[in-house]
Amino acid sequence: MVTRYPTVDELARMDTQAVFDHIAQHLLAQGARSTHRLTGDCLYRSAKGRACAVGSIIPDAVYSAAFEHNRITRLFWLLGRPEFRTAHHEFFCDFLLANSTLLTQLMVIHDCGSPGLWSLALRDCADMFGLSAAVIDRYEGIVEPEARDGQGVFEPSAGIVEHEASDVLA
């Protein structure tokens, strides 16, 4: 379950650290991917009340079911359509663009990494972006510690190289 979707005003006040903290806290509290129950495709918001990394920061005033099954890069196109030409949608489009590198990295963690490895991958992501990983400390031990033996550790920096933004599904 998503901790809480931020409002547009709250999202506007978030700096990079706050965006990371919100998404990391959400992913670790949820402890599972947000996926379609039949296809297994990652979803911004699922019928089970889950949200992916990017889905967790889409305000209710911005979210549309039309976003589902579209890569983050396709959201820019969708947000340019007449039905999404509101101040809130324009702001969110600018927000996605300004935070695209971090958001893409967090999407790779959600979409490609095992939930049991998320805390390690999120720590690596925080290090890569020069962010504090303090939010993760509150969730240590909640997620399965399957990576403690050092095998299969997901390398988030490798995810960006291996998965171009157009290959990453939300």
Side-chain angles (χ1 to χ4, degrees), residues 66-80:
F67 295 174
E68 300 301 345
H69 305 287
N70 286 289
R71 294 175 170 94
I72 192 169
T73 53
R74 180 110 166 123
L75 288 185
F76 292 110
W77 180 83
L78 283 171
L79 290 167

Side-chain angles (χ1 to χ4, degrees), residues 3 19 26 40 60 75 83 98 104 111 113 117 119 123 155 159 164:
T3 44
V19 171
H26 160 71
D60 286 332
L75 288 185
E83 62 267 33
T104 299
D111 295 358
L117 301 176
S119 65
R123 282 187 191 285
E155 294 291 337
E164 293 187 27

Side-chain angles (χ1 to χ4, degrees), residues 2 8 10 16-17 24 38 92 107 111 113 125-127 134 145 151 170:
V2 86
V8 173
E10 289 168 339
T16 305
Q17 182 68 57
L38 297 176
F92 190 67
M107 283 178 59
D111 295 358
C125 181
D127 287 344
Q151 295 182 7

Side-chain angles (χ1 to χ4, degrees), residues 52-68:
C52 75
V54 172
S56 74
I57 51 113
I58 301 176
D60 286 332
V62 172
Y63 176 78
S64 169
F67 295 174
E68 300 301 345

Side-chain angles (χ1 to χ4, degrees), residues 45-113:
R45 295 186 183 180
S46 76
K48 290 184 177 181
R50 295 179 181 157
C52 75
V54 172
S56 74
I57 51 113
I58 301 176
D60 286 332
V62 172
Y63 176 78
S64 169
F67 295 174
E68 300 301 345
H69 305 287
N70 286 289
R71 294 175 170 94
I72 192 169
T73 53
R74 180 110 166 123
L75 288 185
F76 292 110
W77 180 83
L78 283 171
L79 290 167
R81 292 178 56 182
E83 62 267 33
F84 297 119
R85 288 194 187 139
T86 68
H88 288 159
H89 289 97
E90 287 179 22
F91 161 78
F92 190 67
C93 189
D94 291 342
F95 174 86
L96 286 176
L97 187 58
N99 294 281
S100 62
T101 305
L102 175 63
L103 294 175
T104 299
Q105 190 66 41
L106 292 167
M107 283 178 59
V108 169
I109 291 169
H110 171 272
D111 295 358
C112 304

